[in-house]
Amino acid sequence: MNTEHIKVERIALREWLMISCLMLLLTAGLAWMATLNRIDLSLYDRFMQANSVPARDDIIIIGIDDYSLTELGKWPWPRARHAELLQQLSAAKPLAIGLDVFFSEAEQSGLDASSGGDQQLAAALSANNLTVLPVFSENAGKGLSVGKPIPALASAARQLSHIHLELDKDGVARSVFLREGMNGDMWPHMALAMKDVAQKIAPGTEINLPGARLSAALRADSTKADNGLWQRDYQMHIPFYGSSGHFKSVPYVAVLRGEVPADFFKNKYVLIGPTAVGMADSFPTPVSANEGMIAGIEIHANILASLLDSRSVRMASNLEASLYCLCPVLLAMLAYLFLSPRLALLTTFFLFIGILATSYLVMRGGLWLPPAAALVALIIAYPLWSWRRLEAAIRYLGEEFILLDNEPHLLPELKTTDEEEKRPVQDRLEQRIDAMQVAARRVRDLRQFVSDSLSSLPDATLVTTTDGNVLLSNQIAKTYFASIGVPQVNDALVPYLFAKMNPPQLQEQLPGETFSWWNLLDLQKTTMMVSGIEVVDPRGRDLLIKSAPCYSGKKELVGWIVSLINITAIRAAERSRDETLHFISHDMRAPQASILALLELQQDPATALPHDEFLNRIEKASRITLGLADNFVQLARAESQNYHLEDMDFQDVLLDASEEMWTLAKSKHIKIVTQIPEGDYPVRVDRALMTRALTNLLSNGIKYSPADTTITCSLEYEAGLVEASVICTIKDQGYGIARVDQPKLFQRFQRFKHGEQPKNDGVGLGMVFVKAVIDHHHGQISFVSAPNEGTTFHIKLPAFSV
């Protein structure tokens, strides 16, 4: 017994070491590779929202807000007005002024602009000598270039600066590069430039700037005047002070009219920029919360306050993040080894809370340690360890079951003995052992098992004598043979049951040899019949027919078991798969081959492409491959039965699809017009799939229409005698579909093109997806189209009524 105990301890230690190594490797890998970056960023945003800091009193925002636009007229305002504002601010003696307005073109004289506006503004800039103006990067079709204020204003400004923000992959602005530029010229961010102006620091001579620096090689490249690339350095993660409206702000018009005392701006940093809805360059930030986005001028105020307070958030290195995540996971694994399951679970819970608290407190000190890898590892570790402990118990019970199963297969009466009834209270292990003993006794009842199993088999099954006379058949077999005109199955001969089927063509058949249904009962054909033969029945269904001999305990042949497996769906799926693989083997391989070819060319300096062109080509090929995969996934979901139906108004679905396609339509100068009469359009649909189907139709309308055309979407409620319907019509003014191509519109991998139509990189699955979604909603889709006359789709869905 002592030996067994030692053996169990060694097994437990081995299991613990294996799981510990696995969890530590998993944690280190997740932390080092930043695999859970989305979760970490979400936690980062929540912690940032909870870490609000009072705003500095010396930063004032003069907002070009809706009130100012109402009072002073539509934008742009005459530059003489900006000059007047700067003159008033100069008298107040602020520390620095940041004017977040682009003046890339000279002012045009007209009714709303007085003559000499540029000269007046330049004079005001020169007079105060405290104003920072923005530059920006632009791409006018000839490559990247710098957009600067007109020379008169650029030379009059105290300093030029950039106002760009860095957006993460989720579109949230969390950081900024303090220096940006190109061709050897580097400009500080507007906040840094204002700090330099106030503290009389020459641009480029700042010391101890926060933020991560670029590598030495990249900084060296940035000094080349002809590199043509936009360079950035000193990436600082912004420790936001608060959400929108956190910093003091006054309307532009109030300052212009003198309603704000001059002392209000004395020795202050003044930021002037748009805050009006629809005019401001707004961005989502970690502290946006319910506001959604914050105006760029307010983000600049946060950056300026951070620089003045010497605050920033440093991102932990891969090594620091890995070590931070490994420590709690190691503690948890030690708890699993030495503590009871309940205490180990409590330890896991407190470690989970401790990780979140530590990450938050450290971030308040200026260091971000991403906790997601440790949190996920803890979530996995305890169930995994519990599973391994349970697996050991099951393994032991399995060994006991084998011992019981090796006993003679008798069929004793299942009785509860007095000794079993008087058994004292059992622990959980003993209960499981008793349950396994009961199961073992029940398994021995083979006769009842065979009888019940035959009737519950999912396939048609026949049990025959040695000469093929059917003794037993399940209900599925009876139903099947009745469907092909054979009502009587029992007592019939197997070869006669299959007489209406055409014999299969076998590859293993010898020349001159013909197939006979008696082969099902031939011991010499056992190998072939056990594997099964495929036939097509009179109703066109694909069947796999198998037969296997039955032997007695003395190894004597006593009969045959014949089964019929309906593989119609499998063969249909295989044909669809072959068709799909044939298509993918061309379309999926093509972009991958292009990538490999580009990589080969890039290795040779003589054939290497410019870096931007090389990346663009790689990106294009990768997006084509991703598009293929996405289309197949969406089609698979549309063809599945897992629909989440909801009661809703169909106009909401149509408006969602129109909004989603608005950007694409605008890029081609195409209007999407919705004509929805007053009323309700109740339907029961899967909102996500139906929206995707409508966006596919709108996307096709945009792709296959020339610029400056209109796509019209309308709804109609049709009350029928039996049931009401909702009809959605989508009409474009595109190239149309040729009559010869129209029957193939809803078939897989069909792409059409005629002379005037631009090339389309679609897969040919979009309309298949639309048809599948409409069919699953018991709807109908039809269309009318002619070349160069556009296409009109009509979707008819059952209206839902309570």
Coordinates of all heavy atoms in Angstrom, one line a residue, residues 302-360:
N302 N -4.5 68.0 -23.5 CA -4.0 66.9 -22.7 C -2.6 66.6 -22.9 O -1.8 66.4 -21.9 CB -4.8 65.6 -23.0 CG -6.2 65.5 -22.3 OD1 -6.3 65.1 -21.2 ND2 -7.2 66.0 -23.0
I303 N -2.1 66.6 -24.1 CA -0.7 66.4 -24.4 C 0.2 67.5 -23.8 O 1.2 67.3 -23.2 CB -0.4 66.3 -25.9 CG1 -1.2 65.2 -26.5 CG2 1.1 66.2 -26.2 CD1 -1.2 65.1 -28.0
L304 N -0.3 68.8 -24.0 CA 0.4 69.9 -23.4 C 0.5 69.8 -21.9 O 1.6 70.0 -21.3 CB -0.2 71.2 -23.8 CG 0.3 72.5 -23.3 CD1 1.8 72.7 -23.7 CD2 -0.5 73.7 -23.7
A305 N -0.6 69.5 -21.2 CA -0.6 69.3 -19.8 C 0.4 68.2 -19.4 O 1.1 68.4 -18.4 CB -2.0 69.0 -19.3
S306 N 0.4 67.1 -20.1 CA 1.3 66.0 -19.8 C 2.8 66.5 -19.9 O 3.6 66.1 -19.0 CB 1.1 64.8 -20.7 OG -0.3 64.4 -20.7
L307 N 3.1 67.2 -20.9 CA 4.5 67.7 -21.1 C 4.9 68.7 -20.0 O 6.0 68.6 -19.4 CB 4.7 68.4 -22.4 CG 4.6 67.4 -23.7 CD1 4.6 68.2 -24.9 CD2 5.7 66.4 -23.7
L308 N 3.9 69.6 -19.6 CA 4.2 70.5 -18.5 C 4.4 69.9 -17.2 O 5.2 70.3 -16.4 CB 3.1 71.6 -18.5 CG 3.0 72.5 -19.7 CD1 1.8 73.4 -19.6 CD2 4.3 73.3 -19.9
D309 N 3.6 68.8 -17.0 CA 3.6 68.1 -15.7 C 4.6 66.9 -15.7 O 4.8 66.2 -14.7 CB 2.3 67.5 -15.3 CG 1.3 68.6 -15.0 OD1 1.7 69.7 -14.6 OD2 0.1 68.4 -15.1
S310 N 5.3 66.7 -16.8 CA 6.3 65.6 -17.0 C 5.6 64.3 -16.7 O 6.2 63.4 -16.0 CB 7.5 65.8 -16.1 OG 8.2 67.0 -16.4
R311 N 4.4 64.1 -17.2 CA 3.7 62.9 -17.1 C 3.6 62.2 -18.4 O 3.5 62.8 -19.5 CB 2.2 63.1 -16.6 CG 2.1 63.7 -15.2 CD 0.6 63.9 -14.9 NE -0.1 62.6 -14.7 CZ -1.2 62.3 -15.4 NH1 -1.7 63.2 -16.3 NH2 -1.8 61.2 -15.2
S312 N 3.7 60.8 -18.4 CA 3.5 60.0 -19.6 C 3.4 58.6 -19.1 O 3.5 58.3 -18.0 CB 4.8 60.1 -20.5 OG 5.9 59.6 -19.9
V313 N 2.9 57.7 -20.1 CA 2.8 56.3 -19.8 C 3.8 55.5 -20.6 O 3.7 55.6 -21.9 CB 1.3 55.9 -20.1 CG1 1.2 54.4 -19.8 CG2 0.3 56.6 -19.3
R314 N 4.7 54.8 -20.0 CA 5.6 54.0 -20.7 C 5.1 52.6 -20.9 O 4.6 52.0 -19.9 CB 7.0 54.0 -20.0 CG 8.1 53.2 -20.7 CD 9.4 53.3 -19.9 NE 9.4 52.5 -18.7 CZ 9.7 51.2 -18.6 NH1 9.9 50.5 -19.8 NH2 9.7 50.6 -17.5
M315 N 5.2 52.1 -22.1 CA 4.8 50.7 -22.4 C 5.9 49.8 -21.9 O 7.1 49.9 -22.3 CB 4.5 50.5 -23.9 CG 3.4 51.3 -24.4 SD 1.8 50.9 -23.8 CE 1.4 52.2 -22.7
A316 N 5.5 48.8 -21.1 CA 6.5 47.8 -20.7 C 7.1 47.0 -21.8 O 6.4 46.8 -22.8 CB 5.8 46.8 -19.7
S317 N 8.4 46.7 -21.7 CA 9.0 45.8 -22.8 C 8.4 44.4 -22.7 O 7.7 44.0 -21.8 CB 10.5 45.8 -22.6 OG 10.8 45.1 -21.3
N318 N 8.7 43.7 -23.8 CA 8.3 42.3 -23.8 C 8.8 41.5 -22.6 O 8.0 40.7 -22.1 CB 8.7 41.6 -25.1 CG 8.0 42.2 -26.3 OD1 6.9 42.8 -26.2 ND2 8.5 42.0 -27.5
L319 N 10.0 41.7 -22.2 CA 10.6 41.0 -21.1 C 9.9 41.4 -19.8 O 9.5 40.5 -19.0 CB 12.1 41.3 -21.0 CG 12.8 40.6 -19.9 CD1 12.7 39.1 -20.0 CD2 14.3 41.0 -19.8
E320 N 9.6 42.7 -19.6 CA 9.0 43.1 -18.4 C 7.5 42.6 -18.3 O 7.1 42.1 -17.3 CB 8.9 44.7 -18.4 CG 10.3 45.3 -18.1 CD 10.3 46.8 -18.3 OE1 9.4 47.3 -19.0 OE2 11.1 47.5 -17.6
A321 N 6.8 42.6 -19.5 CA 5.5 42.1 -19.5 C 5.4 40.6 -19.2 O 4.6 40.1 -18.5 CB 4.8 42.4 -20.8
S322 N 6.4 39.9 -19.8 CA 6.4 38.4 -19.6 C 6.7 38.1 -18.1 O 6.0 37.2 -17.5 CB 7.5 37.8 -20.5 OG 7.2 38.0 -21.8
L323 N 7.7 38.8 -17.5 CA 8.0 38.5 -16.1 C 6.8 38.8 -15.2 O 6.5 38.1 -14.2 CB 9.2 39.3 -15.7 CG 10.6 38.8 -16.3 CD1 11.7 39.7 -15.9 CD2 10.9 37.4 -16.0
Y324 N 6.2 40.0 -15.5 CA 5.0 40.4 -14.7 C 3.9 39.3 -14.7 O 3.2 39.1 -13.7 CB 4.5 41.7 -15.2 CG 3.2 42.1 -14.6 CD1 3.1 42.5 -13.3 CD2 2.0 42.2 -15.4 CE1 1.8 42.9 -12.8 CE2 0.8 42.6 -14.9 CZ 0.7 42.9 -13.6 OH -0.5 43.3 -13.1
C325 N 3.6 38.8 -15.9 CA 2.6 37.8 -16.1 C 3.0 36.4 -15.5 O 2.1 35.6 -15.1 CB 2.2 37.7 -17.5 SG 1.4 39.2 -18.2
L326 N 4.3 36.1 -15.5 CA 4.7 34.8 -15.1 C 4.6 34.6 -13.6 O 4.3 33.5 -13.1 CB 6.1 34.5 -15.6 CG 6.3 34.2 -17.0 CD1 7.8 34.1 -17.4 CD2 5.6 32.9 -17.4
C327 N 4.8 35.7 -12.8 CA 4.9 35.5 -11.4 C 3.6 35.0 -10.8 O 3.5 34.1 -10.0 CB 5.3 36.9 -10.8 SG 7.0 37.3 -11.1
P328 N 2.4 35.7 -11.1 CA 1.2 35.2 -10.5 C 0.8 33.8 -11.0 O 0.2 33.0 -10.2 CB 0.1 36.2 -10.9 CG 0.7 36.9 -12.1 CD 2.2 36.9 -11.9
V329 N 1.1 33.4 -12.2 CA 0.8 32.1 -12.7 C 1.6 31.1 -12.0 O 1.1 30.0 -11.6 CB 1.1 32.0 -14.2 CG1 0.9 30.6 -14.8 CG2 0.2 33.0 -15.0
L330 N 2.9 31.4 -11.7 CA 3.7 30.4 -10.9 C 3.2 30.3 -9.5 O 3.2 29.2 -9.0 CB 5.2 30.9 -10.9 CG 6.2 30.1 -10.1 CD1 6.2 28.7 -10.7 CD2 7.6 30.7 -10.2
L331 N 2.8 31.4 -8.9 CA 2.2 31.3 -7.5 C 0.9 30.4 -7.6 O 0.7 29.6 -6.6 CB 1.8 32.7 -7.0 CG 3.0 33.6 -6.7 CD1 2.5 35.0 -6.3 CD2 3.8 33.0 -5.5
A332 N 0.1 30.6 -8.6 CA -1.1 29.8 -8.7 C -0.8 28.3 -8.8 O -1.4 27.4 -8.2 CB -2.0 30.2 -9.9
M333 N 0.2 28.0 -9.6 CA 0.6 26.6 -9.8 C 1.1 26.0 -8.5 O 0.9 24.8 -8.2 CB 1.6 26.4 -10.9 CG 1.1 26.8 -12.3 SD -0.5 26.1 -12.8 CE -0.1 24.3 -12.7
L334 N 1.9 26.7 -7.7 CA 2.3 26.3 -6.4 C 1.2 26.0 -5.5 O 1.2 25.1 -4.7 CB 3.3 27.3 -5.8 CG 4.7 27.4 -6.6 CD1 5.5 28.5 -6.0 CD2 5.5 26.1 -6.5
A335 N 0.2 26.9 -5.6 CA -1.0 26.7 -4.7 C -1.7 25.4 -5.1 O -2.3 24.7 -4.2 CB -1.9 27.9 -4.9
Y336 N -1.8 25.1 -6.4 CA -2.5 23.9 -6.8 C -1.8 22.7 -6.2 O -2.4 21.6 -6.0 CB -2.5 23.8 -8.3 CG -3.3 24.9 -9.0 CD1 -3.1 25.2 -10.3 CD2 -4.2 25.7 -8.3 CE1 -3.8 26.3 -10.9 CE2 -4.8 26.8 -8.8 CZ -4.6 27.1 -10.2 OH -5.3 28.1 -10.7
L337 N -0.5 22.7 -6.1 CA 0.3 21.6 -5.7 C 0.2 21.4 -4.2 O 0.1 20.3 -3.7 CB 1.8 21.7 -6.1 CG 2.7 20.6 -5.7 CD1 2.3 19.3 -6.4 CD2 4.2 21.0 -6.0
F338 N 0.2 22.5 -3.4 CA 0.3 22.4 -1.9 C -1.0 22.6 -1.2 O -1.1 22.3 0.0 CB 1.4 23.3 -1.4 CG 2.7 23.0 -1.9 CD1 3.4 23.8 -2.8 CD2 3.4 21.9 -1.4 CE1 4.7 23.5 -3.2 CE2 4.7 21.6 -1.8 CZ 5.3 22.4 -2.8
L339 N -2.0 23.2 -1.8 CA -3.2 23.6 -1.1 C -4.4 22.7 -1.6 O -4.3 22.0 -2.6 CB -3.6 25.1 -1.4 CG -2.6 26.1 -1.0 CD1 -3.1 27.5 -1.3 CD2 -2.3 26.0 0.5
S340 N -5.5 22.7 -0.8 CA -6.6 21.9 -1.2 C -7.3 22.6 -2.4 O -7.1 23.8 -2.7 CB -7.6 21.9 0.0 OG -8.1 23.2 0.3
P341 N -8.2 21.9 -3.1 CA -8.9 22.5 -4.2 C -9.6 23.8 -3.9 O -9.6 24.7 -4.7 CB -9.8 21.4 -4.7 CG -9.2 20.1 -4.3 CD -8.5 20.5 -3.0
R342 N -10.3 23.9 -2.7 CA -11.0 25.1 -2.4 C -10.1 26.2 -2.2 O -10.3 27.4 -2.7 CB -11.9 24.8 -1.2 CG -12.7 26.0 -0.8 CD -13.7 25.7 0.3 NE -13.0 25.2 1.5 CZ -13.7 24.8 2.6 NH1 -15.0 24.8 2.6 NH2 -13.0 24.4 3.7
L343 N -9.0 26.0 -1.4 CA -8.1 27.1 -1.1 C -7.3 27.5 -2.4 O -7.0 28.7 -2.6 CB -7.1 26.7 -0.1 CG -7.6 26.5 1.4 CD1 -6.5 26.0 2.3 CD2 -8.2 27.8 1.9
A344 N -7.1 26.5 -3.3 CA -6.4 26.8 -4.6 C -7.3 27.7 -5.4 O -6.9 28.6 -6.1 CB -6.1 25.5 -5.3
L345 N -8.6 27.4 -5.4 CA -9.6 28.3 -6.2 C -9.6 29.7 -5.6 O -9.6 30.7 -6.3 CB -11.0 27.6 -6.1 CG -12.1 28.4 -6.9 CD1 -11.7 28.6 -8.3 CD2 -13.4 27.7 -6.7
L346 N -9.6 29.8 -4.2 CA -9.6 31.1 -3.6 C -8.3 31.9 -4.0 O -8.3 33.1 -4.2 CB -9.8 31.0 -2.1 CG -11.2 30.6 -1.6 CD1 -11.2 30.4 -0.1 CD2 -12.2 31.6 -2.0
T347 N -7.2 31.2 -3.9 CA -5.9 31.8 -4.3 C -6.0 32.3 -5.7 O -5.5 33.4 -6.0 CB -4.8 30.8 -4.1 OG1 -4.8 30.3 -2.8 CG2 -3.5 31.4 -4.5
T348 N -6.5 31.5 -6.6 CA -6.7 31.9 -8.0 C -7.5 33.2 -8.1 O -7.1 34.1 -8.9 CB -7.3 30.8 -8.9 OG1 -6.5 29.6 -8.8 CG2 -7.4 31.2 -10.3
F349 N -8.6 33.3 -7.4 CA -9.4 34.5 -7.4 C -8.7 35.7 -6.9 O -8.7 36.8 -7.5 CB -10.7 34.2 -6.6 CG -11.6 35.4 -6.4 CD1 -12.4 35.8 -7.4 CD2 -11.5 36.2 -5.2 CE1 -13.2 36.9 -7.3 CE2 -12.4 37.3 -5.1 CZ -13.2 37.7 -6.1
F350 N -8.0 35.6 -5.8 CA -7.3 36.7 -5.3 C -6.1 37.1 -6.1 O -5.8 38.3 -6.3 CB -6.8 36.4 -3.8 CG -7.9 36.4 -2.8 CD1 -8.2 35.3 -2.1 CD2 -8.7 37.6 -2.6 CE1 -9.3 35.3 -1.1 CE2 -9.7 37.6 -1.6 CZ -10.0 36.5 -0.9
L351 N -5.5 36.2 -6.8 CA -4.4 36.5 -7.7 C -5.0 37.3 -8.9 O -4.4 38.2 -9.4 CB -3.7 35.3 -8.2 CG -2.7 34.6 -7.2 CD1 -2.2 33.3 -7.7 CD2 -1.5 35.5 -6.9
F352 N -6.2 36.9 -9.4 CA -6.8 37.5 -10.5 C -7.1 39.0 -10.1 O -6.8 39.9 -10.9 CB -8.1 36.8 -10.8 CG -8.8 37.2 -12.1 CD1 -8.5 36.4 -13.2 CD2 -9.6 38.2 -12.2 CE1 -9.1 36.7 -14.5 CE2 -10.2 38.6 -13.4 CZ -9.9 37.8 -14.5
I353 N -7.7 39.2 -9.0 CA -8.0 40.6 -8.5 C -6.7 41.4 -8.3 O -6.5 42.5 -8.7 CB -8.8 40.6 -7.2 CG1 -10.1 39.9 -7.5 CG2 -9.0 42.0 -6.7 CD1 -11.0 40.5 -8.5
G354 N -5.6 40.7 -7.8 CA -4.4 41.3 -7.5 C -3.7 41.8 -8.8 O -3.0 42.9 -8.8
I355 N -3.8 41.0 -9.8 CA -3.2 41.4 -11.1 C -3.8 42.6 -11.6 O -3.1 43.6 -12.1 CB -3.3 40.2 -12.1 CG1 -2.5 39.0 -11.7 CG2 -3.0 40.7 -13.5 CD1 -2.8 37.8 -12.5
L356 N -5.2 42.7 -11.6 CA -5.8 43.9 -12.1 C -5.5 45.1 -11.3 O -5.2 46.2 -11.8 CB -7.4 43.7 -12.1 CG -7.9 42.7 -13.0 CD1 -9.4 42.4 -12.8 CD2 -7.7 43.1 -14.5
A357 N -5.4 45.0 -9.9 CA -5.1 46.1 -9.0 C -3.7 46.6 -9.3 O -3.4 47.8 -9.3 CB -5.3 45.7 -7.6
T358 N -2.8 45.6 -9.4 CA -1.4 46.0 -9.6 C -1.2 46.7 -10.9 O -0.5 47.7 -11.0 CB -0.5 44.7 -9.6 OG1 -0.7 44.1 -8.3 CG2 1.0 45.1 -9.7
S359 N -1.8 46.2 -12.0 CA -1.7 46.9 -13.3 C -2.2 48.3 -13.2 O -1.6 49.2 -13.8 CB -2.4 46.0 -14.3 OG -2.2 46.6 -15.6
Y360 N -3.3 48.5 -12.5 CA -3.9 49.8 -12.4 C -3.0 50.8 -11.6 O -2.7 51.9 -12.0 CB -5.3 49.7 -11.8 CG -5.9 51.1 -11.4 CD1 -6.3 51.9 -12.4 CD2 -5.9 51.5 -10.1 CE1 -6.9 53.2 -12.1 CE2 -6.5 52.7 -9.7 CZ -6.9 53.6 -10.7 OH -7.4 54.8 -10.4

